[in-house]
Amino acid sequence: MAGLQLHGLTKRYGDFHATQNVELEVKEGEFLVLLGPSGCGKTTTLRMIAGFVDPTEGSIRIGGKDVTTLPPWKRNTGLVFQNYALFPHMTVAQNVAFGLEMRGIAKREIAPRVQDALELVQLGHLADRYPRQMSGGQQQRVALARALVFRPDVLLLDEPLSNLDAKLRHEVRIEIRALQQRLGITAVMVTHDQEEALTMADRLVVMSDGQVRQVGSQRDLYERPASRFVAGFVGRSSFLEGEIRDGRFTTPGGLTLPCDKPIRGPAVIALRPERMTVAAQPHPGSVPGEVEFVSYMGGLIDLHLRLSPTDLVVAQVSNREGSLIPELGDTVHVSWPDATAFPASDPHARGH
Ligand SMILES: Nc1ncnc2c1ncn2[C@@H]1O[C@H](COP(=O)(O)OP(=O)(O)O)[C@@H](O)[C@H]1O
Ligand SMILES: [Mg+2]
């Protein structure tokens, strides 16, 4: 078992930065998730860790040892690809054995190791099947077994669930996490799916444009987003755009609110839909809003509230006995306990 450190990890293709100065520390046995929009450099980061992409600058340490210039097979990482990348003409067992054979592991050692790896993912009984005879979820587990058969120090997972349907995705999330915990293996998973990231990670890394924007627990990111970008990417936010001046926040649509944030000038206020209070009557700090859209999801209901010609927010209310469930066109009164304000100029500027 080993931790992982990335220091100043940069990958350039010509003038383009696929990653820029990535600093990360993954603790032994930790499940770290890299979360970010498509193209932000997640796969590049993972492939640099695995040794399939050479960094332009920076270093990678696994278990304290510098592996930056080592070839993939000398790093002891196991990589699971998004599309599984199984060989169609090989059985499950042959797929899992392949890497061991390539590394010249003794034949008599291979069979038991393959069997062990397949048992880990509960596929011991399907060793002689071909990939096409298996469901997507089973193929996914073969890919996982193929990574684990190396007994890697670090398990690397690149969007491992994105080819599975929604129900299976939920199950496999739990399976992967349980297996990772049982083995105590250090893992880095990449995803663009925030729910997947939030449910699986010990800690999360939010990336955009090749850069790390924030590192923290689910709670850190949700309660204290470092920037407007993170506030919009982790959890949901409604944004009000306007200007802070003389202790007030004013929008072009005429909404005006008291505001004591240490920001002056153009600003954006982020509101969490689930933190809003919606009532039939005005109450301290509330503003009126007209219900423009109701999205009924059973236990939860999203209300799109028009606060001014330019200001629309989403408030989420829970559908409990006695809850106010407004109808389209109703006027309600909405308030929020606290909101985070960000300077409007830069999506990565620090909020208050
Ligand atoms: N071999 C390459 N040559 C040029 N550009 C690349 C190459 N690989 C990746 N990129 C670019 O680097 C950026 C990051 O890619 P990637 O790490 O695959 O993103 P993600 O996995 O977050 O979607 C993208 O803009 C991608 O087009
Ligand atoms: Mg990718």
Side-chain angles (χ1 to χ4, degrees):
M1 215 168 77
L4 170 71
Q5 284 139 353
L6 309 183
H7 179 57
L9 207 57
T10 295
K11 179 64 188 179
R12 273 193 300 270
Y13 293 105
D15 291 339
F16 177 75
H17 281 86
T19 74
Q20 200 170 347
N21 207 16
V22 170
E23 296 281 334
L24 279 182
E25 169 135 22
V26 193
K27 300 184 198 84
E28 277 189 16
E30 186 175 33
F31 196 104
L32 189 85
V33 175
L34 306 186
L35 172 66
S38 176
C40 75
K42 305 180 298 292
T43 293
T44 304
T45 303
L46 213 63
R47 287 177 166 266
M48 286 194 281
I49 299 169
F52 295 113
V53 170
D54 288 331
T56 311
E57 281 163 34
S59 65
I60 302 160
R61 299 172 87 82
I62 296 177
K65 184 177 158 213
D66 192 325
V67 301
T68 316
T69 57
L70 292 184
W73 58 91
K74 292 197 175 155
R75 295 192 180 197
N76 214 21
T77 57
L79 178 58
V80 177
F81 299 90
Q82 177 172 352
N83 59 3
Y84 321 141
L86 301 177
F87 298 115
H89 59 288
M90 291 186 188
T91 65
V92 165
Q94 287 165 346
N95 264 285
V96 177
F98 182 75
L100 295 178
E101 287 163 4
M102 292 305 285
R103 292 185 194 190
I105 307 285
K107 266 214 151 49
R108 64 178 183 290
E109 208 187 304
I110 290 179
R113 275 179 70 170
V114 167
Q115 196 56 33
D116 282 353
L118 288 175
E119 300 291 347
L120 277 178
V121 298
Q122 287 141 34
L123 286 180
H125 58 299
L126 298 180
D128 296 326
R129 288 233 186 140
Y130 286 88
R132 66 172 181 281
Q133 300 170 314
M134 311 187 87
S135 69
Q138 288 170 329
Q139 291 184 32
Q140 220 299 318
R141 274 144 62 190
V142 177
L144 192 56
R146 195 177 51 180
L148 291 172
V149 79
F150 297 120
R151 297 172 187 153
D153 290 323
V154 180
L155 179 64
L156 304 169
L157 305 144
D158 192 354
E159 312 244 6
L161 308 178
S162 57
N163 286 346
L164 305 177
D165 64 48
K167 183 167 176 290
L168 198 57
R169 205 152 54 216
H170 283 89
E171 289 170 19
V172 179
R173 263 184 210 167
I174 297 167
E175 279 177 27
I176 290 182
R177 187 67 171 115
L179 183 60
Q180 179 267 338
Q181 283 174 325
R182 188 148 53 85
L183 298 175
I185 193 171
T186 307
V188 182
M189 184 178 89
V190 155
T191 182
H192 65 275
D193 179 333
Q194 65 147 309
E195 188 188 301
E196 195 170 295
L198 291 168
T199 51
M200 292 179 76
D202 285 319
R203 274 189 316 145
L204 298 112
V205 178
V206 180
M207 291 182 71
S208 76
D209 302 325
Q211 297 184 50
V212 171
R213 301 301 182 178
Q214 192 169 0
V215 182
S217 67
Q218 285 82 341
R219 198 167 176 174
D220 293 336
L221 299 182
Y222 180 82
E223 306 277 353
R224 288 175 294 281
S227 64
R228 171 159 48 111
F229 173 78
V230 176
F233 203 75
V234 179
R236 288 194 302 165
S237 293
S238 288
F239 294 107
L240 298 174
E241 296 186 20
E243 201 166 306
I244 299 176
R245 209 182 320 131
D246 304 328
R248 302 196 72 74
F249 174 75
T250 309
T251 73
L255 184 68
T256 171
L257 307 161
C259 180
D260 57 2
K261 305 288 185 185
I263 296 177
R264 296 291 166 269
V268 175
I269 286 184
L271 305 173
R272 297 293 192 189
E274 52 283 348
R275 289 283 173 92
M276 317 247 269
T277 301
V278 177
Q281 299 302 325
H283 52 278
S286 73
V287 295
E290 186 184 325
V291 179
E292 213 171 78
F293 187 76
V294 178
S295 174
Y296 186 96
M297 297 173 285
L300 296 170
I301 297 164
D302 272 358
L303 304 171
H304 294 224
L305 304 177
R306 172 68 58 192
L307 307 185
S308 89
T310 60
D311 299 303
L312 185 73
V313 296
V314 178
Q316 188 169 69
V317 294
S318 60
N319 189 4
R320 299 216 187 93
E321 189 152 341
S323 308
L324 172 71
I325 316 253
E327 312 228 334
L328 217 59
D330 284 357
T331 294
V332 294
H333 298 270
V334 60
S335 62
W336 45 86
D338 190 20
T340 314
F342 301 97
S345 50
D346 173 5
H348 304 296
R350 199 162 74 86
H352 295 276

